[in-house]
Amino acid sequence: MTLTLLLDNFVKAIKADEYFSSTKVIYAYPCKVKPTLLSENIIAVGLTDISLESTSIGNDGDFGKASIFADIFVPAKSGNAQMSEEFIRLCADAWELGVISVSANRVEFDSSLGAYVLKSVFTFSEHFDFGGESDE
C-alpha cells in the first residue's frame, strides 16, 4: 500500500460514515488567513510521521508504521460535546482500517476561528509500496 493510498482510504472511510455527512473532510495544507468564523465541522487530515524497515533483500516495499493526523474543528455553536462524538466516530472508522494506536490532545477553543479544536493522530502498521518498475 502506498502512503497516498493509506491517506485516501482514511479520508474515504470518514466520508463513507453517514455520521460525518454534514462534516467537511479536507486534506490539510498550510494555513491561510480567513476573516470569517468557522461555520461547519471540518476534519483536516495529512501524513505526520512514517518509519520504515526493509523486510527482506530484493523486496519491492517496506514494512513500517505511518501516522496520519486528523485535526477536528467544530464551530462553537455546535458545542464541545459534538467534538467528543466526532472523535469517537473517527476512532471507529480508523479501527476498520486496522489502526494500531490513537493519540489526541485535549480540546481547545480557538477564538480566531470561533471553534473547538482537537488534534489527533492515528498510526497504522502496513507493508508500503513505493512504486518503481513493477508499479509505475
Side-chain angles (χ1 to χ4, degrees), residues 10 14 20 43 70 72 86-94 122:
F10 192 50
I14 296 168
F20 291 115
I43 300 171
I72 307 167
E86 297 261 327
F87 179 67
I88 290 167
R89 295 299 293 248
L90 272 181
C91 290
D93 292 339
F122 298 84

Side-chain angles (χ1 to χ4, degrees), residues 2-127:
T2 65
L3 294 173
T4 301
L5 185 58
L6 176 62
L7 191 59
D8 288 344
N9 285 345
F10 192 50
V11 169
K12 286 177 187 174
I14 296 168
K15 287 182 175 182
D17 187 335
E18 189 176 313
Y19 175 81
F20 291 115
S21 64
S22 64
T23 298
K24 185 175 186 176
V25 181
I26 62 172
Y27 291 90
Y29 295 101
C31 295
K32 294 188 178 183
V33 177
K34 186 175 179 186
T36 59
L37 298 178
L38 198 65
S39 62
E40 63 183 329
N41 297 359
I42 293 177
I43 300 171
V45 299
L47 186 64
T48 184
D49 187 44
I50 183 167
S51 63
L52 300 172
E53 188 175 303
S54 280
T55 53
S56 65
I57 296 174
N59 190 2
D60 288 340
D62 294 302
F63 187 80
K65 296 178 184 176
S67 296
I68 296 173
F69 68 85
D71 295 347
I72 307 167
F73 300 86
V74 175
K77 66 180 180 180
S78 298
N80 195 5
Q82 178 69 37
M83 175 66 67
S84 298
E85 186 62 31
E86 297 261 327
F87 179 67
I88 290 167
R89 295 299 293 248
L90 272 181
C91 290
D93 292 339
W95 182 260
E96 294 296 320
L97 296 174
V99 69
I100 61 168
S101 107
V102 176
S103 65
N105 295 335
R106 64 185 178 90
V107 175
E108 295 183 356
F109 185 76
D110 184 326
S111 58
S112 66
L113 291 173
Y116 294 101
V117 180
L118 175 68
K119 296 185 178 206
S120 59
V121 176
F122 298 84
T123 302
F124 300 86
S125 183
E126 185 67 60
H127 178 268

